[in-house]
Amino acid sequence: MIYFAMRFFLKSREHAEDIFQDAFAIVWQSRHFINPNTSFSSYLYTIMRNRILNQLRDLANQDKLKQQILSQAVNYSNDTKDEVFVNDLRLFISRALQQLTSRQREIFEMSREQQISHKEIAETLGISVNTVQESISTSLRALRTYLEKNSVLSADLILLLICLNL
């Protein structure tokens, strides 16, 4: 019964088992000093209570130590790692875009970066909407091929990021 109470209180089977075994080790070591006229269960209860309180205090001190170490640590977060990844990805995408002809790159950048409609691109460059659509399709195929040959990431993922203006 004490074991289950300890497990409930400590919320860890391992901690409860450690305290349970520790308590009986203490009883064994101090067996010569136990008064047979007093209640053994009270004695055992006192040992268990003290061990549980010690365990909880130690856990709290460990948490404080972790917080202190983290507060003094170098401020490195996932944001920094994400920013480095995004910059590397942008550089990789830029290299992929260099594989296009200058006209394809111009049309692709107008469409994806400047968010200009196909009709407006056609009017600005004096070409047909069909030519704009064909140029973008050709550009996407060329980019996918380049990315598949040179990327550790999925080419489709990178193309999606390009289309989302990463």
Side-chain angles (χ1 to χ4, degrees):
M1 176 125 83
I2 294 172
Y3 175 75
F4 292 109
M6 283 182 8
R7 234 181 103 194
F8 176 75
F9 188 66
L10 293 173
K11 308 229 186 303
S12 167
R13 179 183 173 106
E14 291 79 23
H15 288 144
E17 287 176 353
D18 288 346
I19 290 174
F20 198 66
Q21 289 177 355
D22 190 34
F24 278 100
I26 290 170
V27 168
W28 180 254
Q29 290 170 353
S30 61
R31 67 186 181 277
H32 301 293
F33 305 108
I34 297 174
N35 184 353
N37 298 328
T38 61
S39 169
F40 180 73
S41 61
S42 297
Y43 178 67
L44 184 59
Y45 172 80
T46 303
I47 291 173
M48 299 295 274
R49 183 194 57 168
N50 290 338
R51 289 294 167 199
I52 289 171
L53 293 175
N54 289 344
Q55 181 75 27
L56 292 174
R57 186 187 66 240
D58 291 345
L59 290 172
N61 287 339
Q62 286 177 1
D63 287 343
K64 286 179 186 176
L65 179 61
K66 286 178 188 176
Q67 291 300 325
Q68 185 178 10
I69 290 171
L70 288 175
S71 70
Q72 295 175 359
V74 175
N75 187 11
Y76 179 81
S77 66
N78 281 341
D79 293 340
T80 305
K81 193 163 74 173
D82 291 346
E83 188 175 328
V84 169
F85 176 75
V86 167
N87 287 337
D88 288 346
L89 188 57
R90 281 188 178 137
L91 180 63
F92 191 75
I93 291 168
S94 175
R95 288 182 189 150
L97 289 173
Q98 294 303 314
Q99 303 303 309
L100 304 175
T101 66
S102 60
R103 185 62 150 193
Q104 286 173 330
R105 191 170 40 254
E106 179 183 23
I107 293 170
F108 190 81
E109 288 173 352
M110 288 174 81
S111 171
R112 298 302 191 251
E113 291 178 14
Q114 298 172 19
Q115 299 290 313
I116 300 173
S117 71
H118 292 185
K119 183 179 177 186
E120 291 173 324
I121 294 171
E123 290 172 359
T124 302
L125 298 177
I127 57 178
S128 71
V129 174
N130 241 2
T131 304
V132 171
Q133 291 172 344
E134 184 60 35
S135 178
I136 291 174
S137 294
T138 304
S139 298
L140 287 171
R141 275 194 302 277
L143 289 172
R144 180 176 280 116
T145 301
Y146 176 81
L147 295 173
E148 285 174 350
K149 288 181 183 177
N150 299 296
S151 175
V152 293
L153 291 176
S154 166
D156 292 331
L157 173 63
I158 294 175
L159 285 174
L160 175 65
L161 294 172
I162 290 170
C163 292
L164 294 174
N165 283 328
L166 177 65

